[in-house]
Amino acid sequence: MNNNYKRITVWPDIGGTMTMVPIPGTLNFVATQRFYPGFNSSQCRIVKEIFNGTNWDQTVVGDFPYIHRFDLISHDGGLWFVGCSIANSKKIRMIGAIQAEFGLVIMMIEKQK
């Protein structure tokens, strides 16, 4: 299983990973991409990575601007994504202050088998 601790690159070209959460009972996980410092995260998205035995297959779950933290919760026969955003938009106002609206996202990400 550990393949002599050989390193496998999951994705080579996108950064901004703030959160990675394993999918229970698998090697698979869900993660953020494009969450960059300085509230520069309007292009943040959630991806699901599935290990195919050799490498990782990626599915983009969706675009979620400013998603900061999230978790997966088993409920009602499925696996639910619960995410918190630091903002759903930002506006630069006088003196450079940031006005942000906060949000919460809940959605089913996977049916349990």
Side-chain angles (χ1 to χ4, degrees):
M1 177 66 176
N2 69 19
N3 201 13
N4 294 317
Y5 301 103
K6 178 183 172 191
R7 184 174 77 177
I8 299 172
T9 302
V10 178
W11 57 76
D13 54 355
I14 297 177
T17 301
M18 182 67 160
T19 304
M20 294 175 67
V21 178
I23 296 175
T26 72
L27 293 174
N28 308 332
F29 64 93
V30 180
T32 54
Q33 288 182 333
R34 300 179 181 160
F35 186 92
Y36 299 113
F39 293 102
N40 188 17
S41 302
S42 63
Q43 302 299 310
C44 187
R45 67 184 186 180
I46 303 297
V47 296
K48 181 178 176 182
E49 297 290 340
I50 298 174
F51 188 66
N52 63 25
T54 306
N55 288 305
W56 297 90
D57 297 323
Q58 183 179 95
T59 301
V60 176
V61 174
D63 295 323
F64 292 92
Y66 303 101
I67 283 289
H68 184 247
R69 300 271 191 229
F70 71 86
D71 207 344
L72 300 176
I73 298 171
S74 293
H75 175 71
D76 198 25
L79 197 57
W80 291 78
F81 171 95
V82 178
C84 299
S85 67
I86 57 172
N88 61 17
S89 66
K90 72 175 187 176
K91 299 174 185 174
I92 305 300
R93 303 172 95 194
M94 289 186 298
I95 317 173
I98 295 175
Q99 174 186 358
E101 299 174 19
F102 298 91
L104 176 69
V105 176
I106 301 173
M107 62 182 241
M108 183 179 284
I109 195 164
E110 183 173 290
K111 278 280 198 192
Q112 291 181 330
K113 297 172 185 164

